[in-house]
Amino acid sequence: MILTYVCLVLLLSKASPSVTFRENGYEELLVSISPDVPQENGQQVIDGITAWLTAGSSTLHSSSRGWAHIRSVLILLPSTWTEFDAESTDKYLVEDAEIRVDLPNPVYGDGPFTSQPGGCGDQGEYTQVTEKFLAEIDGYSTEMFGPPGNVFVHEWSKFRYGVFEEFGYPGDPLYPMFYYKTTWTADGQTNVLTPNFCTDKAFQGSMQDMTGGECTQKNGVPDSDCIFVGDKEQPITSSVMAAPYLTNNDQYCDQTEDNIHHPELPTKHNALCGKKSVWEVVKSNDDFSKFDSGSPNITTT
């Protein structure tokens, strides 16, 4: 396995930086569990962390063109979790963790999210997931949010590499869920209402109202409750920042025909990253300073 080991540590005090990148592997990626999370389902949460990051390591290896993976993980348990055999430590704080397990968020619920208030290429603050997301990683979470590995890469890329979503948001005037795509045919110019997702192939799916029923439009523009739900089974392979819930969609968009980037789309990534592809931004990270598409030779099994 790419993920070599997971170590449980018991919180005491103090603070220190955690994850490092060495010989193409992330070491001592810190996952903290909030004291507000009860230990009754603790083993399921720990198993879920291991499963999620193992899948994430494999997908990251693929997304990064064979360059990066996760080598080791530290799980920081609350001192109140007395039923688990863990090493005591004063090296870390909950707030040091790259990934935090906490109660559902008022905005995102049980969905994973990343706090990244900086600009393009800036590292974020943390990624947060919930007890339910981890305890039901192979059931509810996969059905609701997509393949665990894809979901990890989607959030890790925002946190570590400073990229952003490549899809629109309902009712957002800057990064809309839909836009009018202009094309030219033998009959002249046509404007087609199109879902705002940066994918290598046309994104198939349907318009749905978040409150139920059909979407309504005013002056040809869907209202703020209208979203586009993509079909889960379709031959899209990029970009993982656009639709991580698609089974085979685990690649970053780039400037090749296979993973083509669309700089004209009104996405948050295009706006904040100067219309660069996600892969261009990822490769500019220090972790990829010695990137060579022909190496290293790391097995994913």
Side-chain angles (χ1 to χ4, degrees):
M1 304 295 292
I2 284 181
L3 181 55
T4 306
Y5 73 85
V6 174
C7 179
L8 301 182
V9 291
L10 194 66
L11 171 63
L12 291 179
S13 60
K14 207 176 175 180
S16 175
S18 178
V19 68
T20 58
F21 186 73
R22 184 180 66 85
E23 296 179 354
N24 302 96
Y26 292 101
E27 298 181 343
E28 298 194 352
L29 171 60
L30 185 62
V31 181
S32 68
I33 300 176
S34 168
D36 294 327
V37 176
Q39 69 173 328
E40 282 74 11
N41 294 326
Q43 191 58 57
Q44 288 178 287
V45 171
I46 293 169
D47 291 345
I49 292 171
T50 303
W52 187 42
L53 297 185
T54 298
S57 180
S58 179
T59 303
L60 179 61
H61 178 262
S62 174
S63 303
S64 65
R65 286 44 168 180
W67 184 253
H69 66 283
I70 302 171
R71 183 171 293 122
S72 61
V73 174
L74 299 177
I75 302 177
L76 188 61
L77 306 183
S79 58
T80 53
W81 281 33
T82 57
E83 298 178 3
F84 294 88
D85 183 19
E87 301 176 16
S88 296
T89 182
D90 63 355
K91 189 178 180 181
Y92 307 108
L93 290 175
V94 170
E95 292 78 11
D96 296 329
E98 290 82 29
I99 297 174
R100 304 178 187 178
V101 183
D102 211 330
L103 301 179
N105 180 273
V107 175
Y108 299 99
D110 287 300
F113 71 93
T114 297
S115 176
Q116 207 289 63
C120 184
D122 293 340
Q123 181 165 304
E125 297 176 331
Y126 61 88
T127 291
Q128 181 171 308
V129 294
T130 66
E131 171 191 1
K132 181 175 182 178
F133 173 82
L134 295 168
E136 301 181 34
I137 192 71
D138 292 325
Y140 160 83
S141 300
T142 297
E143 179 64 25
M144 182 65 65
F145 306 110
N150 291 12
V151 174
F152 172 81
V153 168
H154 184 83
E155 300 302 330
W156 177 257
S157 300
K158 290 185 287 184
F159 166 78
R160 185 71 179 186
Y161 311 131
V163 300
F164 301 92
E165 280 103 352
E166 292 192 288
F167 56 78
Y169 312 105
D172 194 309
L174 294 178
Y175 318 119
M177 177 62 66
F178 301 92
Y179 73 105
Y180 274 98
K181 181 178 182 180
T182 300
T183 58
W184 294 89
T185 67
D187 297 324
Q189 177 180 324
T190 60
N191 299 311
V192 180
L193 186 66
T194 306
N196 186 16
F197 292 80
C198 187
T199 54
D200 59 325
K201 302 176 183 66
F203 198 40
Q204 304 297 320
S206 60
M207 297 170 60
Q208 298 181 16
D209 192 284
M210 292 188 293
T211 61
E214 297 183 358
C215 288
T216 59
Q217 298 187 29
K218 183 177 181 179
N219 298 325
V221 179
D223 65 30
S224 59
D225 289 327
C226 189
I227 60 175
F228 189 83
V229 179
D231 299 334
K232 289 190 176 181
E233 299 299 328
Q234 51 183 309
I236 286 175
T237 58
S238 75
S239 169
V240 70
M241 300 308 298
Y245 55 84
L246 299 182
T247 303
N248 298 314
N249 186 26
D250 64 356
Q251 296 297 302
Y252 297 128
C253 63
D254 57 29
Q255 294 173 302
T256 68
E257 185 175 349
D258 289 341
N259 300 312
I260 188 168
H261 176 60
H262 300 282
E264 75 281 2
L265 297 187
T267 63
K268 186 175 183 179
H269 179 81
N270 276 337
L272 297 185
C273 289
K275 300 186 177 182
K276 293 180 180 179
S277 71
V278 169
W279 181 232
E280 286 180 273
V281 178
V282 170
K283 279 205 305 180
S284 69
N285 186 276
D286 288 345
D287 299 344
F288 289 76
S289 61
K290 298 180 181 179
F291 176 79
D292 178 352
S293 59
S295 66
N297 184 19
I298 302 172
T299 180
T300 60
T301 59

